[in-house]
Amino acid sequence: MAELPPCPQCDCQWTYEDGALLVCPECAHEWSADAPANAGDGEATKVWRDANGAELADGDTVTVIKDLKIKGTSQVVKVGTKVKNIRLVDGDHDIDCRIDGVGQMGLKTEFVKKA
Ligand SMILES: [Zn+2]
């Protein structure tokens, strides 16, 4: 009898085959014997793109392409403002950054272009 791999969830040795699947009797985990053990969680890697479709990365410098009102203030981030050392985030905005004279703020990628 072929040696079956241990359960990837709980390391149980007593796994058995059920059709195309392997099944763990300890934690009831089922998985495909064909899938590589380190196949990640299947989540696509998010890519951030600027207004021109260029890929953005942490630490990039971008330029604001539209006057942006800062929430809760009368301040505006003017077109052409350079924003250094951006940090990409996955939230209600896309970029965390510090702007001179403004401070910490969040930006949307569609309002910037890579400098
Ligand atoms: Zn298990």
Side-chain angles (χ1 to χ4, degrees):
M1 202 169 131
E3 189 92 341
L4 294 173
C7 172
Q9 295 275 311
C10 71
D11 246 3
C12 169
Q13 305 290 314
W14 314 111
T15 53
Y16 59 91
E17 281 177 296
D18 184 11
L21 294 175
L22 292 172
V23 183
C24 171
E26 287 286 315
C27 69
H29 180 59
E30 295 181 358
W31 70 102
S32 167
D34 299 329
N38 57 353
D41 53 8
E43 213 175 284
T45 312
K46 178 163 174 172
V47 176
W48 284 258
R49 292 185 189 282
D50 71 3
N52 297 326
E55 216 169 290
L56 296 169
D58 280 349
D60 274 356
T61 299
V62 297
T63 308
V64 175
I65 59 163
K66 177 181 185 293
D67 281 350
L68 298 173
K69 273 219 177 94
I70 301 165
K71 249 194 213 163
T73 77
S74 56
Q75 278 185 293
V76 173
V77 178
K78 285 257 191 296
V79 176
T81 302
K82 263 204 178 153
V83 184
K84 282 184 205 157
N85 199 19
I86 60 167
R87 235 171 56 77
L88 300 168
V89 294
D90 202 357
D92 58 345
H93 59 272
D94 306 307
I95 297 169
D96 264 348
C97 60
R98 268 195 87 76
I99 298 178
D100 289 343
V102 176
Q104 198 75 30
M105 79 172 279
L107 292 174
K108 296 261 190 201
T109 50
E110 65 248 49
F111 299 138
V112 301
K113 70 176 173 25
K114 203 166 173 167

